[in-house]
């Protein structure tokens, strides 16, 4: 199994009312803050459209390798976003990390 390239995805539902300013601000801030971390590439924000689960949004990003992924997890911008925004504003989430076979 190759562990070079990693796609990190998290699908989530916010505590905010659908269509609210708080919802919009969280998604915009998440994109601005997390995509500014140097090891992050291909950052995307998604609206989940499948009726097969209850999650509403997704963040997806790519890392060149495991070291880049670990650097992202330890980066001060990521750590502060999780502590100050994610833990307070996200109701539920599922994290999925992929590496090509």
């Amino acid at each position: 199994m190759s562990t070079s390239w990693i796609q990190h995805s998290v699908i989530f539902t916010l505590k905010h009312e659908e269509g609210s300013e708080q919802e919009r601000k969280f998604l915009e801030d998440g994109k601005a803050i997390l995509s500014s971390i140097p090891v992050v590439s291909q950052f995307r924000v998604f609206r989940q459209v499948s009726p097969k689960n209850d999650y509403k949004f997704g963040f997806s990003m790519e890392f060149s390798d495991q070291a880049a992924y670990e650097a992202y997890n330890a980066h001060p911008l990521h750590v502060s976003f999780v502590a100050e925004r994610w833990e307070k504003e996200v109701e539920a989430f599922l994290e999925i990390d992929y590496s090509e076979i």
Side-chain angles (χ1 to χ4, degrees):
M1 179 192 313
S2 170
T3 57
S4 57
W5 169 88
I6 295 173
Q7 179 172 347
H8 171 66
S9 301
V10 59
I11 57 172
F12 57 94
T13 299
L14 294 171
K15 295 177 181 177
H16 306 303
E17 183 177 329
E18 190 171 339
S20 68
E21 177 67 17
Q22 294 91 345
E23 177 186 85
R24 183 192 65 75
K25 185 79 169 131
F26 179 90
L27 297 172
E28 283 182 2
D29 290 350
K31 182 177 184 177
I33 293 165
L34 300 175
S35 68
S36 74
I37 298 171
V39 294
V40 172
S41 66
Q42 302 298 318
F43 189 95
R44 294 181 179 98
V45 178
F46 297 102
R47 181 174 302 279
Q48 200 288 119
V49 296
S50 172
K52 296 179 181 180
N53 71 65
D54 294 329
Y55 297 105
K56 304 294 183 195
F57 302 102
F59 287 163
S60 176
M61 63 202 80
E62 296 177 7
F63 301 98
S64 60
D65 55 26
Q66 185 67 35
Y69 179 63
E70 291 171 11
Y72 163 78
N73 279 317
H75 195 281
L77 288 174
H78 175 255
V79 171
S80 66
F81 182 78
V82 169
E84 296 169 14
R85 302 295 299 278
W86 189 269
E87 291 177 357
K88 296 174 184 174
E89 300 179 58
V90 172
E91 184 173 296
F93 72 95
L94 174 63
E95 186 172 316
I96 303 170
D97 298 317
Y98 294 110
S99 182
E100 287 186 289
I101 298 174

